[in-house]
């Protein structure tokens, strides 16, 4: 079971739709959910109505391990939103399940000097009402 923390900072929250609810609200059960093709097993993110590999429409969310690797990052120093402390890391995390499943996310619990390309990370969730924002931290 992954940990869930209450919101600690103001964030721009996503607009929930039928197509993205599994991703943004699925963390309620402590797991990250990504669409997967039932025909060929390909993981699909962001949402697509059909599998990009085999064109099957048999796609449904499934939990993933929540573990991945930082494949790129930048350090933001610009205070874009009032109340959001800078600097902070914006990271591209590649999930262990599939090399082309990458999430743009933040690592607020990990000291900036500990973030590097190749760094192993795991998901946790920050709850905002029914939204469970997937964030990552160094393992
Ligand atoms: Zn497929």
């Amino acid at each position: 079971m992954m940990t869930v923390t209450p919101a600690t900072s103001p964030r721009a929250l996503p607009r929930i739709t039928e197509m993205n609810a599994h991703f943004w609200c699925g963390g309620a059960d402590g797991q990250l959910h990504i669409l997967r093709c039932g025909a060929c097993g390909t993981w699909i993110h962001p949402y697509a109505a059909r599998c990009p590999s085999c064109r099957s429409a048999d796609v449904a969310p499934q939990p993933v391990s929540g573990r991945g690797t930082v494949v790129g990052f930048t350090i933001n120093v610009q205070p874009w939103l009032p109340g959001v402390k800078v600097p902070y890391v914006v990271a591209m995390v590649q999930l262990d399940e599939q090399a082309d499943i990458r999430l743009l996310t933040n690592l607020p619990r990990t000291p900036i000097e500990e973030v590097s390309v190749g760094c192993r990370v795991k998901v946790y969730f920050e709850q905002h009402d029914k939204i469970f924002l997937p964030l990552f931290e160094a393992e």
Side-chain angles (χ1 to χ4, degrees), residues 78 89 94 105 113 128:
Q78 179 70 33
V89 169
Q94 176 179 302
T105 185
E113 60 275 14
H128 298 258

Side-chain angles (χ1 to χ4, degrees), residues 8-133:
T8 52
S9 64
R11 288 177 184 276
L13 296 174
R15 186 166 159 267
I16 304 305
T17 68
E18 200 176 308
M19 294 178 291
N20 68 19
H22 69 277
F23 183 78
W24 295 116
C25 305
D29 69 359
Q31 294 180 293
L32 182 62
H33 295 78
I34 300 290
L35 281 189
R36 191 173 200 189
C37 175
C40 75
T42 298
W43 294 96
I44 304 158
H45 182 83
Y47 175 88
R50 288 187 173 272
C51 173
S53 296
C54 75
R55 306 304 297 159
S56 170
D58 179 18
V59 296
Q62 279 190 23
V64 292
S65 66
R67 289 187 152 74
T69 303
V70 172
V71 294
F73 72 97
T74 187
I75 298 168
N76 179 66
V77 297
Q78 179 70 33
W80 299 107
L81 292 171
V84 177
K85 286 200 305 183
V86 292
Y88 60 86
V89 169
V90 179
M92 185 67 77
V93 169
Q94 176 179 302
L95 297 185
D96 286 355
E97 278 72 15
Q98 188 174 296
D100 63 354
I101 300 297
R102 295 178 169 190
L103 309 181
L104 194 60
T105 185
N106 303 119
L107 286 69
R109 287 182 179 173
T110 305
I112 289 176
E113 60 275 14
E114 291 179 20
V115 178
S116 62
V117 170
C119 179
R120 294 286 301 156
V121 292
K122 64 179 179 184
V123 75
Y124 71 96
F125 299 93
E126 187 179 271
Q127 184 178 4
H128 298 258
D129 193 15
K130 66 177 182 174
I131 296 173
F132 289 75
L133 286 180

